[in-house]
Amino acid sequence: SAILARRILHLSSFATLSTVFPSTLALENRPPSLGGTPIGLMDYYAACAPFPYDPTILAIGIATSFRNTAAGSNLTLSLRWHPPADAPPAEDLYTYAPANMPRFSLLGHVEAMPEEEVRRYNVSGCFLERHPDAEAWTPGNEIHESYWARLVVEEVYWIGGFGDRAYIGWIPVGEWRGVTEGEVEGARLVGERGWEEGEV
């Protein structure tokens, strides 16, 4: 499960970021009743060095997700697998059912990346390779204040598909971090070339 989750993280680059509104209104103009209420919003991420298991995020200060983390909210990044458009046909009606697709959530906190680390590992280049349009919002832009950050993963919750054929539960964070690049490259998800029906 850890290997498949890391492969999804590697192949995807969009996720839902969930945070919680603070109890005060100091950082955002919003209805006062939303304190303590969670909100999930789509955002970009990339799996970059030196810690590809902790997703790299371009944090934009004005964005709701990062106003909430600045106010003390933790962050959850949620992903699900979408089979490729050219996936082979399947005999089982449920093989490609959305409810049978692997999905998972990474729970943790946002940590700003040191500038030396950003330069040393070319974090900007890694991120922009996946999201060229994000160049307009990189640190130092004239539109919004932003910074490079990572989600420091503290817990991983995995739903591999239907419970009678796939694992559902927590993945130890040590296993999540310990997956090798070779294991990520060698794994195959539902519908990928090289995957065979019946594999979990």
Side-chain angles (χ1 to χ4, degrees):
S1 298
I3 295 172
L4 295 179
R6 284 284 303 276
R7 182 159 179 82
I8 294 173
L9 186 77
H10 172 74
L11 293 177
S12 303
S13 58
F14 303 96
T16 298
L17 302 187
S18 298
T19 56
V20 176
F21 284 110
S23 57
T24 65
L25 299 177
L27 297 177
E28 189 167 18
N29 180 17
R30 58 170 171 80
S33 62
L34 293 181
T37 302
I39 183 170
L41 298 166
M42 186 282 296
D43 216 322
Y44 296 172
Y45 80 88
C48 299
F51 307 118
Y53 45 77
D54 286 340
T56 296
I57 301 169
L58 178 55
I60 300 174
I62 198 173
T64 296
S65 296
F66 303 108
R67 287 187 175 189
N68 288 348
T69 58
S73 174
N74 286 342
L75 182 125
T76 296
L77 183 149
S78 299
L79 291 144
R80 70 185 184 97
W81 172 242
H82 301 265
D86 62 350
E91 295 181 6
D92 187 339
L93 172 66
Y94 297 104
T95 296
Y96 296 127
N100 191 41
M101 290 301 99
R103 62 267 197 196
F104 64 100
S105 290
L106 304 176
L107 294 77
H109 66 274
V110 173
E111 178 181 272
M113 301 177 70
E115 291 186 13
E116 189 278 332
E117 184 177 293
V118 171
R119 291 192 299 269
R120 180 178 180 183
Y121 294 99
N122 190 24
V123 169
S124 178
C126 169
F127 194 91
L128 294 178
E129 183 177 355
R130 302 303 301 271
H131 306 288
D133 59 310
E135 186 170 8
W137 308 295
T138 54
N141 75 85
E142 298 180 354
I143 305 172
H144 297 301
E145 179 184 354
S146 64
Y147 61 96
W148 293 110
R150 65 168 60 92
L151 168 61
V152 179
V153 176
E154 298 166 350
E155 303 290 349
V156 182
Y157 188 73
W158 168 264
I159 299 177
F162 294 134
D164 64 340
R165 63 188 75 179
Y167 174 68
I168 297 175
W170 298 96
I171 296 175
V173 72
E175 290 185 19
W176 167 257
R177 294 174 178 167
V179 174
T180 67
E181 183 176 338
E183 288 174 321
V184 171
E185 294 293 342
R188 289 296 176 268
L189 291 153
V190 178
E192 280 195 281
R193 183 170 297 179
W195 168 84
E196 294 183 6
E197 190 170 359
E199 292 181 346
V200 177

